[in-house]
Amino acid sequence: MMMLGLGSVGLVLLSLAVQSGHGAQDSDVWSTEETTERNYYTRYHNMSDITAWMEQMKRENPDVVSSMVYGQTYERRDITLLKIGLSSTGRKKAIWMDCGIHAREWIAPAFCQYFVREILRTYKTDTKVNEMMKNLDFYITPVLNVDGYIYSWHNASTRLWRKSRSPGTGGCTCYGTDLNRNFYANWGMVGVSTDCCSQTYCGTKAISESEARAVTDMLGKMREDILAFLTIHSYGQLLLVPYGHPNISAPNYDELMEVGLGAAKAIKAVHGMDYTVGTSPDVLYANSGSSRDFARLIGIPLSFTFELRDKGEHGFELPEDQIQPTCEEAYAGAHHIITYAHDKAFYSSAATITATLWTTLLAAWVSSATLL
Amino acid sequence: MWLLFQRSVSEVVMTTGVLNPSHYPGRRAATVVQHYLNTRYGSPYRWIFLSKVHNGSAEDVAEMGRKYQLELTVQEMISNVSGQCSAELLFPGGEGQSAPQVQASCEGLLQSNTTAQEEAFYQQHRASNNMVSGKDIPNSYGHMEPSMKPFWHLGGVASSFIMLRESNESTLYNMAQVANFTQLETEKDQLRFNYHVLLHEMISQEIIHWKLLVTWSPEQGVKVLQTELQPKCHDCEAPPNTTN
């Protein structure tokens, strides 16, 4: 937000500072025309770019896009989400998506930006997206770990930073807590380290980190309304379902696997890429304190971690020419899950029976009232 | 109260018997096979990656360790040629950290004819009047100059020697980046390089720095003469002066 106030001079200076290594684009000053071009969504963007882009999304789509600051990072930066949906008078169901909980996974914020652009581009013409925009609100956080993400843009030696930027405590001089080990979900039990220098340091206690607290508070407020929770990471080409603890199964494991496998099939149909589906302990490693696990624990039925491209050739430094195909396939996977969640809530026989029941009761009440 | 819980990073009971090909034990073992294949066949123009695990099994071998049998597909990344491999590997048990032992035979993998490219690259760089160097390959945006690509592949292959040696059932290694490399004087007809590579270990999520002395020629293949683990830099972690 602050960067907008600096004006174009500030933006030019900033763009020069982060210039090195881009392909075609010389400057990071994006005009409105340029952001509507496909070219914008085939580049990685620093935090001030993304902040400016969020403002632009609101400005260009005022009837469907608003933003919400729902917390502060350790370094006191805003954590902002975009709320996207056709406005309605009643309370709406929701879809949650967050990107960039791990700073070095740059393809994740790029996907959140792509996802937002895609639903805004298609909701007027695509009947399904339109229907979902009517019935749901999308809550999308393009960058959750803002401090870490900014740090990873600082220079080549900080590029592979993962954690938050809070300092160590108790004589430990390293920085950062792994935000995806810090949630109140079997916190500290498995797949974590108590050494603050470790990449999987789970923090001094559950939700010690303000970033994790911000998500926890939002989910707590919204939990009855959220139909699906998607958290976006890289790399590995995986779709992970709860839980991270090897001895605990989600009550709807079969449903999660079925929906996950459907999403993987949709992903493969786009560019032929294989995404493996399973619990984290089965297909990757055991872990605790993840946001995905917390979401499932508080009752959000469909909770998934996306691990996007690739499988290790480039790893975290995915080439920009792979941003678009990665986003296209990930969008297909996310769309599959969101459609399932939406249709289950608005089309299932349970929903229909409930509606019919209420109609019948109301009719009976009305008729009995007129008799009196 | 938290002290009552034992927080361990160790794995649970090791899978024995038939492996589910989409589960991690098969994938970790298959990645070790990938590293092995690169040490044997890799070059500036040949870099092999695991594509898919088809099936496998694991068993305890008394007084030796754990043995895996795998059927997998690997892909050579430059030519896009795929090969089917059968492999057997042993993760040694016991106290010492000794390297896994791998045997593998692959069909169709070495089809790509790299001879001409390798020879041209070798001739271009063996004369010592223009020592090559580079850094940050790939860079933060995943980009690298085309002329740097063979050095990236070479770094990946050289890293495979370390990744093979350091692997066990609780690790999954990839090379994250070539931090820098410098060409040294050609010796005994081998191109020679100092490499500084960053390895990503997936289970711990750590980035591990190694320095390597690497030689290569089309005839001798890639050899790693020296390796040196670099200490993790904690002082580098403090916030920089500029923030945006």
Side-chain angles (χ1 to χ4, degrees):
Chain A
M1 290 302 289
M2 188 178 79
M3 297 315 294
L4 292 175
L6 288 181
S8 55
V9 173
L11 284 170
V12 169
L13 286 174
L14 181 70
S15 74
L16 289 172
V18 296
Q19 200 187 87
S20 64
H22 275 292
Q25 198 69 22
D26 270 79
S27 145
D28 278 354
V29 183
W30 297 92
S31 66
T32 308
E33 306 86 66
E34 281 168 318
T35 58
T36 58
E37 281 178 34
R38 293 163 73 80
N39 204 30
Y40 180 88
Y41 295 93
T42 61
R43 291 275 184 270
Y44 295 117
H45 294 284
N46 63 25
M47 196 62 219
S48 72
D49 258 6
I50 294 177
T51 304
W53 169 86
M54 283 196 270
E55 289 304 305
Q56 190 191 330
M57 293 299 107
K58 284 161 59 183
R59 220 168 34 238
E60 291 176 353
N61 306 274
D63 44 339
V64 292
V65 181
S66 60
S67 70
M68 208 186 278
V69 174
Y70 65 98
Q72 249 73 43
T73 65
Y74 174 78
E75 289 172 349
R76 299 194 188 282
R77 296 190 177 92
D78 285 341
I79 305 173
T80 313
L81 61 76
L82 290 177
K83 179 183 167 189
I84 305 175
L86 290 159
S87 55
S88 86
T89 44
R91 198 167 116 185
K92 291 174 76 180
K93 292 294 179 187
I95 301 288
W96 175 279
M97 185 186 298
D98 64 70
C99 296
I101 190 172
H102 290 139
R104 59 193 180 196
E105 299 165 11
W106 284 14
I107 185 62
F111 173 64
C112 266
Q113 289 190 284
Y114 178 94
F115 184 90
V116 166
R117 195 279 300 260
E118 200 57 18
I119 58 176
L120 290 175
R121 191 180 67 85
T122 59
Y123 81 92
K124 286 178 180 164
T125 51
D126 183 310
T127 43
K128 194 67 191 175
V129 178
N130 188 277
E131 183 191 9
M132 294 202 285
M133 289 275 268
K134 275 206 188 89
N135 294 330
L136 307 168
D137 284 328
F138 293 87
Y139 289 75
I140 301 176
T141 305
V143 183
L144 176 53
N145 181 4
V146 182
D147 293 350
Y149 189 67
I150 289 173
Y151 186 70
S152 74
W153 276 79
H154 184 65
N155 60 40
S157 74
T158 64
R159 173 62 178 83
L160 294 175
W161 188 260
R162 168 183 169 87
K163 302 186 285 180
S164 70
R165 290 294 300 164
S166 57
T169 58
C172 183
T173 55
C174 297
Y175 278 75
T177 293
D178 185 343
L179 293 175
N180 207 34
R181 302 286 185 278
N182 191 241
F183 283 79
Y184 193 60
N186 301 305
W187 179 83
M189 297 202 77
V190 67
V192 299
S193 172
T194 52
D195 175 3
C196 95
C197 294
S198 161
Q199 293 303 316
T200 56
Y201 175 57
C202 54
T204 50
K205 56 180 180 171
I207 26 181
S208 59
E209 306 303 292
S210 55
E211 296 88 346
R213 208 156 53 237
V215 174
T216 299
D217 289 347
M218 273 303 281
L219 294 185
K221 278 183 221 157
M222 297 171 62
R223 68 205 264 210
E224 278 161 41
D225 300 327
I226 302 179
L227 301 176
F229 175 94
L230 306 181
T231 182
I232 314 297
H233 293 242
S234 76
Y235 58 94
Q237 293 177 214
L238 309 167
L239 296 179
L240 303 173
V241 305
Y243 289 110
H245 194 291
N247 299 345
I248 308 171
S249 287
N252 62 334
Y253 170 79
D254 289 342
E255 180 188 36
L256 285 161
M257 284 303 291
E258 192 187 320
V259 178
L261 288 165
K265 194 168 162 200
I267 289 173
K268 191 169 167 109
V270 182
H271 295 299
M273 288 298 179
D274 285 312
Y275 278 60
T276 306
V277 184
T279 66
S280 195
D282 278 346
V283 304
L284 184 60
Y285 46 56
N287 70 328
S288 50
S290 70
S291 61
R292 172 204 65 229
D293 282 3
F294 176 73
R296 177 59 273 211
L297 271 174
I298 59 166
I300 297 167
L302 296 160
S303 183
F304 292 87
T305 305
F306 278 56
E307 295 279 358
L308 302 180
R309 288 195 198 180
D310 55 22
K311 284 162 120 181
E313 193 192 354
H314 297 87
F316 301 114
E317 290 164 339
L318 192 69
E320 288 182 310
D321 64 15
Q322 285 198 47
I323 294 178
Q324 182 161 337
T326 305
C327 289
E328 285 167 349
E329 69 201 17
Y331 181 83
H335 184 88
H336 178 90
I337 296 168
I338 292 165
T339 303
Y340 174 89
H342 168 274
D343 290 355
K344 187 181 176 195
F346 294 95
Y347 283 110
S348 76
S349 51
T352 318
I353 288 167
T354 314
T356 313
L357 206 61
W358 278 113
T359 315
T360 313
L361 282 170
L362 187 64
W365 177 82
V366 167
S367 60
S368 65
T370 49
L371 283 173
L372 295 169
Chain B
M1 182 172 78
W2 298 112
L3 295 171
L4 292 174
F5 293 95
Q6 185 178 40
R7 302 188 201 109
S8 69
V9 192
S10 61
E11 297 294 315
V12 284
V13 177
M14 298 294 184
T15 313
T16 296
V18 173
L19 299 176
N20 183 324
S22 66
H23 287 189
Y24 75 79
R27 182 143 16 131
R28 289 183 197 173
T31 305
V32 176
V33 176
Q34 170 194 306
H35 299 321
Y36 165 79
L37 291 172
N38 278 311
T39 63
R40 287 294 306 273
Y41 304 112
S43 84
Y45 289 91
R46 186 177 285 132
W47 199 18
I48 296 160
F49 271 85
L50 169 68
S51 216
K52 201 168 185 157
V53 180
H54 296 291
N55 54 61
S57 64
E59 58 173 338
D60 289 305
V61 180
E63 282 163 34
M64 291 206 49
R66 285 188 35 93
K67 192 170 86 167
Y68 283 72
Q69 270 164 337
L70 299 165
E71 305 283 324
L72 54 143
T73 303
V74 297
Q75 190 176 27
E76 198 288 302
M77 300 310 277
I78 301 145
S79 63
N80 270 328
V81 169
S82 283
Q84 304 297 318
C85 301
S86 296
E88 212 174 84
L89 63 137
L90 176 73
F91 288 108
E95 290 298 305
Q97 260 285 26
S98 53
Q101 294 160 30
V102 185
Q103 287 171 305
S105 67
C106 299
E107 273 171 26
L109 186 61
L110 302 180
Q111 262 169 34
S112 58
N113 194 337
T114 54
T115 315
Q117 291 166 299
E118 287 181 11
E119 198 53 44
F121 179 81
Y122 177 65
Q123 293 303 334
Q124 181 189 355
H125 292 290
R126 72 178 294 192
S128 308
N129 44 16
N130 202 0
M131 298 284 113
V132 186
S133 64
K135 64 179 184 137
D136 301 329
I137 307 166
N139 73 4
S140 294
Y141 310 94
H143 176 73
M144 69 187 78
E145 291 303 309
S147 61
M148 289 289 112
K149 271 202 170 159
F151 298 104
W152 178 50
H153 303 144
L154 182 57
V157 172
S159 295
S160 299
F161 284 81
I162 302 174
M163 297 194 287
L164 173 63
R165 192 181 72 198
E166 300 291 310
S167 287
N168 58 51
E169 287 170 286
S170 301
T171 61
L172 184 66
Y173 279 101
N174 283 294
M175 181 182 75
Q177 191 192 49
V178 172
N180 61 65
F181 78 92
T182 320
Q183 186 180 5
L184 308 170
E185 293 282 323
T186 300
E187 230 177 67
K188 297 180 192 169
D189 293 328
Q190 307 300 303
L191 300 187
R192 281 164 37 109
F193 304 89
N194 271 332
Y195 263 86
H196 180 153
V197 295
L198 306 180
L199 306 185
H200 173 233
E201 200 290 292
M202 183 72 87
I203 283 73
S204 64
Q205 292 291 352
E206 296 294 334
I207 302 293
I208 307 160
H209 294 238
W210 284 89
K211 281 200 167 145
L212 321 173
L213 178 58
V214 183
T215 68
W216 176 76
S217 70
E219 264 174 33
Q220 299 290 325
V222 179
K223 302 261 178 282
V224 174
L225 303 186
Q226 282 174 34
T227 66
E228 193 182 290
L229 176 65
Q230 302 301 294
K232 204 171 140 178
C233 173
H234 295 325
D235 290 341
C236 315
E237 294 194 4
N241 288 328
T242 56
T243 48
N244 72 354

